[in-house]
Amino acid sequence: MLKINRHILANGLRLVHSQDDSTQMVALNILYNVGARDEHPEHTGFAHLFEHLMFGGSVNIPDYDAPLQLAGGENNAWTNNDITNYYLTVPRQNVEIGFWLESDRMLSLDFNERSLEVQRGVVMEEFKQRCLNQPYGDVGHLLRPLAYKEHPYQWPTIGKELSHIANATLDEVKDFFFRFYAPNNAVLAVTGNISFEEAVALTEKWFGTIPRRDVPVRRLPQEPVQTEERRLTVERNVPLDALFMAFHMCERAHPDYYAFDILSDILSNGRSSRLNQHLVQEKQLFSSIDASISGSIDAGLFHISGKPSAGVSLEEAEAAVREELKILQNEAIAAQELEKVKNKFESTQIFGNINYLNVATNLAWFELNGVAEDMEKEVERYRAVTAGQLQTVAQTAFDKANGVVLKIVSSE
């Protein structure tokens, strides 16, 4: 069991901490409770743009990377529809540099037209490379609005349209920052070779004077229950036809979330998984196929995607997937198969939490969505899923009326 410590600053910043003396490094993970779902439908891509702007210089520090690299540190960040996450690692003797850097850019960025122009150009280029110039790159832009009609999950993190980033103004960027980048809208996780007392002292020293901000209360439109199947077929310049299926599933906090995750692994985790064994190896209907869950905080999607083998139509491929889903609906999963998947989850959890940086990321995530201690309950929650629960979930979720189908036909 990890020893998890917690301290809340007067300005609302939540510090969670776990000490690990086996390393000479310290990790700081700052999670901001803002993602693409918090954007205006006509101003999308801002959460991702900020991931880049946060490295463009803060109010007192013109270059974020240089002092961290001189201190022997590394950093990175990522954004999704729910959150924006920043992390750094630094040798323990230089740990205060990490607190200094992160606190200054929480206080304020160095907002100027040049920085915005540079980072906007980087993000626009990323949009073009990932979504416009890459085979199957626009799948998210096609599938999401097919599945979501009201909820802001209907656009990808990178943004709905290139023009939304191209037209972003400095005033809009400032407004987004001061609405969401606030100590009372963030969780700081500190792990590695640092005592709780030192972590508290440094957090109070560097973050304690940052003022609270008026973070808007999140009021997202709820997605209505889907009552009939939605389908879309498009032609693209891609090497192979491709099939994308998605089914609505529960939110992250629902007990059935673990059942959906297990079902995705039963279908496609490893060579002995059902889709790989039956549709790739035995019947040779697919050259590749995968199942996964979105893992989103609000009600998400269960994804199945694959590329049919040469000579196999998309209709045949879809029918074969439906047959596998029907088996999950009609037949209880054998105890041995279920135990094997649960064992994989357990080993992934155990080995994942050996690394001090993974622990920091997990502490911040679970603290945001409940309490950090919940990360140690994940294995038992997977263990609690029964074959009967899996069958019930499959019967409801894999109903045609609950799903969307996107087919991409090669024009080559």
Side-chain angles (χ1 to χ4, degrees):
M1 291 284 288
L2 287 173
K3 178 169 171 46
I4 297 171
N5 306 297
R6 180 180 287 98
H7 176 73
I8 301 175
L9 276 64
N11 59 14
L13 178 64
R14 285 178 277 173
L15 166 68
V16 283
H17 164 271
S18 184
Q19 188 166 352
D20 180 358
D21 293 333
S22 69
T23 176
Q24 293 303 304
M25 304 292 287
V26 175
L28 274 69
N29 189 106
I30 295 195
L31 190 159
Y32 289 93
N33 189 14
V34 56
R37 65 176 175 164
D38 297 298
E39 298 163 347
H40 188 280
E42 300 306 316
H43 296 86
T44 64
F46 271 63
H48 177 245
L49 174 62
F50 257 92
E51 178 198 320
H52 289 261
L53 284 170
M54 287 284 277
F55 293 94
S58 54
V59 64
N60 297 305
I61 305 170
D63 186 347
Y64 176 92
D65 287 320
L68 185 65
Q69 289 168 0
L70 285 171
E74 296 181 349
N75 70 88
N76 214 327
W78 48 268
T79 317
N80 63 26
N81 285 77
D82 295 316
I83 60 171
T84 310
N85 196 72
Y86 301 87
Y87 62 89
L88 63 83
T89 58
V90 67
R92 67 185 181 91
Q93 61 268 32
N94 296 331
V95 67
E96 189 162 4
I97 289 172
F99 284 86
W100 168 62
L101 288 168
E102 290 298 341
S103 64
D104 200 62
R105 62 181 184 174
M106 179 186 282
L107 175 65
S108 180
L109 298 185
D110 176 20
F111 292 105
N112 62 76
E113 291 288 354
R114 182 182 173 280
S115 175
L116 175 58
E117 190 62 35
V118 169
Q119 299 305 329
R120 185 166 50 199
V122 171
V123 172
M124 289 172 65
E125 189 59 32
E126 185 180 341
F127 190 110
K128 291 173 188 175
Q129 290 297 323
R130 281 174 46 189
C131 305
L132 304 181
N133 301 330
Q134 186 171 296
Y136 318 104
D138 62 347
V139 166
H141 288 87
L142 297 169
L143 190 69
R144 283 178 176 271
L146 201 60
Y148 292 102
K149 299 303 179 184
E150 297 293 335
H151 194 283
Y153 284 164
Q154 64 188 268
W155 57 81
T157 306
I158 201 164
K160 192 191 297 186
E161 298 174 16
L162 193 58
S163 63
H164 288 184
I165 295 302
N167 298 329
T169 69
L170 194 59
D171 284 342
E172 288 169 340
V173 164
K174 283 182 183 178
D175 178 65
F176 191 89
F177 179 87
F178 287 110
R179 268 189 296 148
F180 297 111
Y181 277 72
N184 47 310
N185 201 43
V187 177
L188 168 62
V190 179
T191 60
N193 200 330
I194 182 172
S195 69
F196 180 49
E197 291 72 24
E198 186 180 2
V200 170
L202 289 172
T203 303
E204 286 283 2
K205 176 181 176 180
W206 290 104
F207 290 89
T209 57
I210 301 173
R212 293 177 68 96
R213 291 173 184 146
D214 292 328
V215 178
V217 177
R218 186 178 279 125
R219 293 188 179 92
L220 302 180
Q222 294 305 298
E223 186 66 25
V225 175
Q226 185 177 317
T227 56
E228 59 181 10
E229 185 183 48
R230 300 167 189 161
R231 305 179 72 90
L232 176 66
T233 301
V234 297
E235 190 175 281
R236 291 288 187 272
N237 182 21
V238 293
L240 297 167
D241 292 351
L243 172 70
F244 299 88
M245 303 169 71
F247 300 89
H248 290 277
M249 60 173 279
C250 61
E251 67 274 13
R252 180 67 175 80
H254 196 285
D256 282 343
Y257 174 87
Y258 302 93
F260 278 104
D261 205 5
I262 286 175
L263 284 170
S264 73
D265 270 24
I266 284 169
L267 286 174
S268 80
N269 189 349
R271 286 182 57 80
S272 62
S273 60
R274 292 189 179 191
L275 294 180
N276 186 67
Q277 198 170 40
H278 300 161
L279 304 189
V280 177
Q281 297 177 46
E282 294 172 10
K283 298 179 182 177
Q284 298 184 354
L285 294 172
F286 283 84
S287 58
S288 64
I289 189 166
D290 183 55
S292 63
I293 60 172
S294 57
S296 55
I297 291 176
D298 295 336
L301 295 174
F302 187 105
H303 294 273
I304 298 174
S305 60
K307 296 178 179 65
S309 301
V312 177
S313 70
L314 285 166
E315 290 68 33
E316 288 177 90
E318 182 187 345
V321 172
R322 299 269 184 206
E323 195 58 40
E324 290 297 325
L325 297 180
K326 193 180 293 182
I327 294 170
L328 286 174
Q329 292 173 318
N330 296 335
E331 300 175 16
I333 292 162
Q336 185 179 0
E337 185 179 12
L338 179 53
E339 184 64 21
K340 182 174 144 190
V341 169
K342 288 180 179 180
N343 288 341
K344 274 190 181 179
F345 277 115
E346 184 165 4
S347 64
T348 300
Q349 288 285 322
I350 291 169
F351 286 111
N353 286 330
I354 289 174
N355 180 280
Y356 70 102
L357 176 56
N358 288 349
V359 171
T361 304
N362 287 331
L363 284 176
W365 167 256
F366 282 97
E367 182 69 16
L368 177 72
N369 292 293
V371 291
E373 288 80 2
D374 283 346
M375 67 181 280
E376 302 238 274
K377 299 177 182 175
E378 285 291 272
V379 170
E380 65 186 67
R381 286 170 177 165
Y382 282 107
R383 287 277 177 207
V385 174
T386 65
Q389 183 184 359
L390 291 170
Q391 192 172 353
T392 300
V393 166
Q395 287 168 350
T396 305
F398 299 143
D399 186 286
K400 267 192 170 184
N402 188 48
V404 299
V405 178
L406 169 65
K407 293 179 177 178
I408 296 185
V409 180
S410 173
S411 60
E412 289 191 354

